[in-house]
Amino acid sequence: MNAVGSFLIALSMLPFFPFLIVYYGMVYFKKSKKMALHTAMDVTTIFLIAAVAALFNNAFQSGFGVYLILILLLIALGLIGSAQTRIKGKINYKRMMRALWRMAFVVMGFSYIVLMAFGLFSYILDIM
């Protein structure tokens, strides 16, 4: 495996590092903390999806993690689009995708913490 692939796998298993790298890099170059926070959240969501899928597969001995996340994202996209249509009468695709992506960041962050704790506790119990 090449160095770039190994680096990306390491970042996927520790998704808070890409957040910090992007956030501080954006603050340094753009000087806008709000834009840096939003960009860091957007970039980290990709790594969180990969990490949560891997943790789900490991915790439940399955290969369904990525597919489950994709199905849930598609369902959420449909619900957001439906709500937008009912409220505004039309769909703003940019706002819909931004809402989905930010919501995915929060849900995947919470799922990462829960699945990491579950994996840690199950590993400790297996040792004992």
Side-chain angles (χ1 to χ4, degrees):
M1 184 175 280
N2 59 12
V4 174
S6 299
F7 183 68
L8 288 175
I9 289 172
L11 288 179
S12 292
M13 288 294 102
L14 301 169
F16 51 88
F17 283 138
F19 182 85
L20 295 174
I21 291 168
V22 172
Y23 179 76
Y24 287 117
M26 289 290 292
V27 167
Y28 180 76
F29 289 113
K30 296 286 184 179
K31 307 290 189 223
S32 171
K33 290 185 178 183
K34 183 178 179 180
M35 190 169 99
L37 179 67
H38 289 202
T39 305
M41 286 172 58
D42 292 342
V43 170
T44 305
T45 303
I46 299 167
F47 292 105
L48 280 170
I49 289 171
V52 168
L55 287 170
F56 181 87
N57 291 343
N58 188 26
F60 300 108
Q61 275 70 37
S62 74
F64 191 65
V66 175
Y67 303 114
L68 178 67
I69 291 170
L70 289 176
I71 288 169
L72 292 175
L73 287 175
L74 286 172
I75 291 170
L77 188 65
L79 292 173
I80 292 169
S82 174
Q84 224 179 46
T85 303
R86 274 186 278 127
I87 293 170
K88 303 234 183 216
K90 62 179 181 172
I91 296 176
N92 184 340
Y93 292 103
K94 184 177 178 181
R95 290 189 76 192
M96 186 172 67
M97 290 304 294
R98 188 180 320 136
L100 175 72
W101 206 243
R102 302 277 163 79
M103 186 176 63
F105 174 80
V106 172
V107 171
M108 291 298 132
F110 179 74
S111 300
Y112 178 80
I113 292 168
V114 168
L115 287 171
M116 186 64 83
F118 177 77
L120 183 64
F121 288 133
S122 66
Y123 178 73
I124 290 171
L125 291 176
D126 286 343
I127 291 176
M128 295 177 151

